[in-house]
Amino acid sequence: PTHLATRGPFATLLRSYAGGPAPTRPHNFDDVTPDRYYDTPVAWLAGQFFISGTGPGTYSPNRSITRNETAVLLWLVEGHPTP
């Protein structure tokens, strides 16, 4: 791939992969506003305690997602399967 995945769109991909569940609570990230398409997916990930952000009140949706973050999130969404 020639383009890096960023955290906002990746949240959307994960929520879609999980079947599009509704968030259980709002997120507390100041850099994810309700007008962004990844607002609901980020709220779902935060509500599942899959993410806690990159700093106080910050999710960094435009930052590239690391391989480590990708692997951990996929593992969490899959229900912590045994390797």
Side-chain angles (χ1 to χ4, degrees), residues 13-22 44 77:
L13 178 105
L14 285 175
R15 181 173 172 260
S16 177
Y17 176 77
W44 174 72
V77 168

Side-chain angles (χ1 to χ4, degrees), residues 4-78:
L4 297 174
T6 56
R7 293 167 52 87
F10 194 73
T12 302
L13 178 105
L14 285 175
R15 181 173 172 260
S16 177
Y17 176 77
T24 56
R25 63 184 179 93
H27 62 73
N28 63 346
F29 303 121
D30 297 329
D31 59 348
V32 178
T33 56
D35 63 326
R36 302 305 303 184
Y37 69 91
Y38 47 76
D39 176 60
T40 299
V42 168
W44 174 72
L45 287 172
Q48 297 300 310
F49 300 99
F50 291 165
I51 58 169
S52 59
T54 57
T58 306
Y59 177 67
S60 304
N62 298 316
R63 194 193 86 201
S64 295
I65 190 161
T66 67
R67 284 185 185 190
N68 184 54
E69 290 169 330
T70 300
V72 169
L73 286 169
L74 288 170
W75 180 72
L76 290 169
V77 168
E78 278 295 313

